Amino acid sequence: MAEAEFVRFLEAARSDPGLLARYSPMDLPRVLFHARNDGFAFTEDDAERVIGRLEADVVIHKDGEPFDGSSTLWRHMWGARYLDYLVDHVVARYSREELAVNERSERTNQHSKPASLTGPPKEAP
C-alpha cells in the first residue's frame, strides 16, 4: 500500500502548486518526514520503485525510445529540482486514470511487477 501512497503524493503535488512549491526544495529525508506528517505514508524504497516504473513506462511506451542514456526524458531533469521534474515531466504524462491503474496494481499485488501502464497486458508463459 505504501507505493500507492507515493502515487497519491505525486497526484497531490501535481494538483496543488502550493504543495509542490513547499516540497520541491527539500531533500528526500525531509520529504519523507514532512510527507508522513501530512498523511502520506511511504518510504524511500516505495518512491524509488514507483519512479522507476513511471520513468521506464514514459521512455519505452509513451516515447517509444530505448531505456538508456539517450532518452529525451532525461534532458528535462537537467537544471531542475527532482520533484519538479517528476511532476512536470513524468507524472504530467499520465492521466488520473493511468496513475490509478498503477495504484490499484500495487494494492492488489504488492509482490509482482505490474504490467505497463500504457501497454497491453502480457500473458504469462
Side-chain angles (χ1 to χ4, degrees), residues 59 63 65-75 78:
V59 171
D63 293 342
E65 299 175 339
F67 191 72
D68 61 20
S70 68
S71 166
T72 55
L73 178 63
W74 310 138
R75 294 181 197 148
W78 301 341

Side-chain angles (χ1 to χ4, degrees), residues 40-92:
F40 301 98
F42 58 87
T43 66
E44 180 176 352
D45 289 339
D46 300 323
E48 287 175 358
R49 283 189 297 272
V50 169
I51 292 166
R53 243 188 342 261
L54 294 177
E55 285 178 329
D57 191 66
V58 166
V59 171
I60 296 166
H61 295 103
K62 291 183 178 283
D63 293 342
E65 299 175 339
F67 191 72
D68 61 20
S70 68
S71 166
T72 55
L73 178 63
W74 310 138
R75 294 181 197 148
H76 297 291
M77 194 184 306
W78 301 341
R81 291 179 169 155
Y82 193 65
L83 186 58
D84 290 334
Y85 150 77
L86 282 175
V87 171
D88 295 339
H89 299 285
V90 178
V91 177

